Amino acid sequence: MNVQGLVAAIERLASVLEARAASQETARVCWPEEEGLAYWYRRVGGRGVLQPVRRPHRLRLDDLKDIEPQKARVVRNTEQFLAGRPANNVLLTGARGTGKSSLVKALLTEYADRGLRLVEMEKTDLVDLPDVLACLETRPERFIVFIDDLSFEEGEPAYKMLKSVLDGSVWAQPDNVLLYATSNRRHLMPEFFHENEGTRHVGEEVHPAEAVEEKISLSERFGLWVSFYPFSQEEYLTIVAHWLRSFGVGEAEIEAARAEALQWAIERGSRSGRVAWQFARDWAGRHGLPRKEPRG
């Protein structure tokens, strides 16, 4: 290894140690006595705990409408992973309420019988991620570590830890673990106009400023980027119709509810899958239909 390579390796190791030191007490994670399909990682008394989720949010891939290209890419990557073939960590980004989190949850419903398990972690707990991975790599199951609504501010220790774990630490990510994260930000950190002032042109090439390079560097370590976009009016109404059908509503009533659904979306300022589900739930409740949990 040349001097530059050695310096880079030392800097990466220093980043890992710094992030661990920022945590008040490094968690040691043990496999829980009670097993489940999904787990929630949390800290109890300074100790890391994988808590089984008693009622996982059982979503179905078929319930997620008008995101077929995104579903296809994530499903393909997940099936490669379950088959023991090479697969990538995934970053799902884009408009709110368009199915990013729901898609990850639906994978558990689809592939639990093939050994897939889900571990959800909060951003603030990512300083413990190496301990979680060390626990999971001894298990026969295959795990997706799920981080929802991921974004960072300047100087957060979890940022450096996640960056090292994804691609930069001296140890490799376990073969039975992938990281799937969702975010409304493509580069996971706020970007400011003044940061572009250091951008240089060398001939025909553009060289971004160091601050910009640093912010891009984390998202680039996710091997697969999947982008989600706002729904059109017709796409939104298709999703509304799907959820009303799931409550047993007939086609004539669904057609009559279109105007109400559009007004609901205008009041909420969004035509998203989440807003469509919330409208269907409200409509069903007002019309005396029995309560049910969403499958999507």
Side-chain angles (χ1 to χ4, degrees):
M1 179 183 296
N2 59 30
V3 174
Q4 284 186 323
L6 180 59
V7 170
I10 292 173
E11 288 177 347
R12 290 195 295 267
L13 181 58
S15 295
V16 173
L17 295 176
E18 180 183 342
R20 285 204 178 201
S23 178
Q24 293 181 349
E25 180 180 346
T26 299
R28 296 188 178 277
V29 185
C30 297
W31 188 254
E33 293 183 5
E34 181 183 355
E35 297 190 11
L37 299 180
Y39 300 86
W40 173 40
Y41 177 80
R42 62 194 185 102
R43 302 194 104 205
V44 179
R47 181 173 178 272
V49 175
L50 285 171
Q51 178 177 314
V53 177
R54 296 186 183 278
R55 296 180 64 232
H57 204 174
R58 302 306 297 267
L59 314 174
R60 298 188 314 171
L61 290 172
D62 287 345
D63 287 321
L64 305 180
K65 303 299 181 183
D66 293 301
I67 56 168
E68 296 307 320
Q70 294 91 335
K71 275 198 291 187
R73 296 183 70 195
V74 174
V75 164
R76 183 190 67 214
N77 189 72
T78 305
E79 290 185 344
Q80 289 170 200
F81 172 58
L82 292 172
R85 300 198 303 271
N88 280 302
N89 300 307
V90 181
L91 178 61
L92 303 94
T93 64
R96 67 186 188 277
T98 49
K100 301 184 295 294
S101 302
S102 294
L103 178 51
V104 178
K105 296 171 188 175
L107 294 173
L108 181 64
T109 304
E110 186 76 14
Y111 298 113
D113 60 351
R114 290 176 55 179
L116 183 66
R117 300 293 181 265
L118 197 65
V119 176
E120 184 167 3
M121 293 187 71
E122 298 291 334
K123 177 188 70 174
T124 52
D125 292 325
L126 289 176
V127 290
D128 298 335
L129 185 55
D131 297 296
V132 174
L133 298 185
C135 172
L136 299 181
E137 72 176 335
T138 64
R139 298 291 306 175
E141 303 91 345
R142 303 188 78 78
F143 295 90
I144 290 175
V145 173
F146 174 44
I147 310 126
D148 193 25
D149 198 20
L150 182 63
S151 65
F152 293 100
E153 302 300 329
E154 295 286 351
E156 290 192 63
Y159 174 87
K160 290 185 177 180
M161 179 59 75
L162 180 58
K163 188 175 173 182
S164 290
V165 166
L166 285 171
D167 184 15
S169 180
V170 294
W171 50 271
Q173 185 175 321
D175 291 336
N176 67 330
V177 182
L178 285 180
L179 275 66
Y180 282 22
T182 69
S183 180
N184 294 331
R185 293 174 176 169
R186 180 67 173 268
H187 293 145
L188 304 177
M189 294 184 73
E191 299 177 56
F192 303 101
F193 182 79
H194 69 82
E195 292 171 340
N196 292 306
E197 293 175 358
T199 299
R200 297 179 296 111
H201 290 80
V202 179
E204 296 297 319
E205 295 183 352
V206 176
H207 292 252
E210 288 186 3
V212 176
E213 289 277 18
E214 171 63 19
K215 292 187 174 184
I216 295 173
S217 65
L218 175 57
S219 58
E220 279 193 340
R221 298 189 183 206
F222 287 89
L224 182 62
W225 287 2
V226 182
S227 299
F228 291 71
Y229 306 98
F231 292 122
S232 68
Q233 177 173 297
E234 284 308 309
E235 288 170 337
Y236 166 73
L237 290 172
T238 297
I239 299 168
V240 168
H242 171 77
W243 288 126
L244 288 175
R245 289 188 192 100
S246 77
F247 282 103
V249 180
E251 296 302 315
E253 292 172 294
I254 291 173
E255 183 66 25
R258 285 170 60 95
E260 279 188 75
L262 291 175
Q263 183 61 38
W264 181 276
I266 291 171
E267 292 172 355
R268 296 296 299 272
S270 172
R271 291 193 301 255
S272 71
R274 181 181 297 123
V275 169
W277 161 248
Q278 291 165 345
F279 169 76
R281 189 181 179 93
D282 176 79
W283 194 98
R286 286 188 285 111
H287 289 79
L289 299 178
R291 182 182 182 277
K292 67 174 292 182
E293 291 301 315
R295 297 192 315 273

